[in-house]
Amino acid sequence: VVLGGGVFGCATAHYLSKEGVKVTIVERDAVGSHASGFAYGGLGADRTNCPMALVAQEGWRLHNEFASDLLEETGVDIQFRYRPSLSLAFTEGETINLKNGLTLAKEERSDRSLWLSREEALDIEPRLSKDIVGALYNPNGADLEPYRLMLALTQAAEKFGATIRHGEVIGLKRRQGII
């Protein structure tokens, strides 16, 4: 049982059902009806030097796979496209964190990201806040259409046998030593 029909729940159901596991998604509302289906679908392997960077990098890898796999499995184009991005620094602490992550990325992955001064960042995007200190330019960013991603994940999970039930989970009962 997967609780919640957002991107994490539907991706989990997709992978499990694809491996032959019987999966039921329980969603209170409609699948993908909250942030997972409507937020900006910006992607990019995190270039900061923090614990979540490895999670973000794995997410980047998975979305690259989704772009082709889900189209093949469902015919739904998630509109994945490569597009550069800027990570903005407004404080000295943010600047240090982004620069440390940039150094790490260059050493480990031959990354092509660059540190930009305030003026260089504003040359790229003049609508940025004038309060920025600088920015990390990532030429390897991407985005996708989140609603289409949710539709494709749901269809793929169902194609491999997952079911979706609508309702609110109010607890779990243990049966034969299994929750």
Side-chain angles (χ1 to χ4, degrees):
V1 174
V2 174
L3 304 180
V7 71
F8 290 111
C10 287
T12 300
H14 169 253
Y15 281 117
L16 289 172
S17 63
K18 195 172 181 176
E19 294 297 318
V21 176
K22 186 177 177 185
V23 178
T24 300
I25 299 170
V26 180
E27 169 56 47
R28 180 181 50 214
D29 301 312
V31 170
S33 65
H34 296 282
S36 290
F38 297 98
Y40 170 62
L43 305 167
D46 194 324
R47 300 300 192 261
T48 61
N49 192 16
C50 70
M52 288 304 295
L54 294 176
V55 173
Q57 290 163 17
E58 180 63 10
W60 170 252
R61 188 190 67 72
L62 290 173
H63 279 292
N64 275 274
E65 283 180 17
F66 283 159
S68 60
D69 292 352
L70 290 174
L71 180 60
E72 184 178 311
E73 291 168 1
T74 67
V76 176
D77 180 2
I78 64 172
Q79 297 179 347
F80 179 89
R81 63 185 175 159
Y82 291 101
R83 173 175 149 144
S85 65
L86 293 171
S87 296
L88 307 179
F90 289 90
T91 67
E92 189 60 34
E94 291 172 345
T95 300
I96 291 168
N97 190 31
L98 287 172
K99 284 184 175 180
N100 286 344
L102 175 61
T103 301
L104 182 67
K106 284 188 177 297
E107 290 170 359
E108 292 182 357
R109 297 187 305 274
S110 301
D111 194 281
R112 297 182 304 131
S113 295
L114 304 168
W115 177 255
L116 302 178
S117 68
R118 176 183 175 273
E119 293 73 24
E120 290 169 322
L122 288 167
D123 283 345
I124 291 174
E125 179 49 73
R127 296 172 293 179
L128 293 174
S129 168
K130 307 300 184 231
D131 295 334
I132 66 167
V133 176
L136 183 64
Y137 173 77
N138 175 9
N140 303 314
D143 62 15
L144 56 78
E145 172 50 50
Y147 181 79
R148 287 174 165 269
L149 173 63
M150 291 304 310
L151 181 64
L153 285 171
T154 303
Q155 286 183 8
E158 289 178 317
K159 175 183 177 178
F160 293 110
T163 58
I164 300 169
R165 291 192 169 208
H166 296 280
E168 189 168 343
V169 176
I170 57 172
L172 300 172
K173 288 188 179 182
R174 183 181 293 243
R175 182 179 60 183
Q176 299 174 353
I178 300 172
I179 293 181

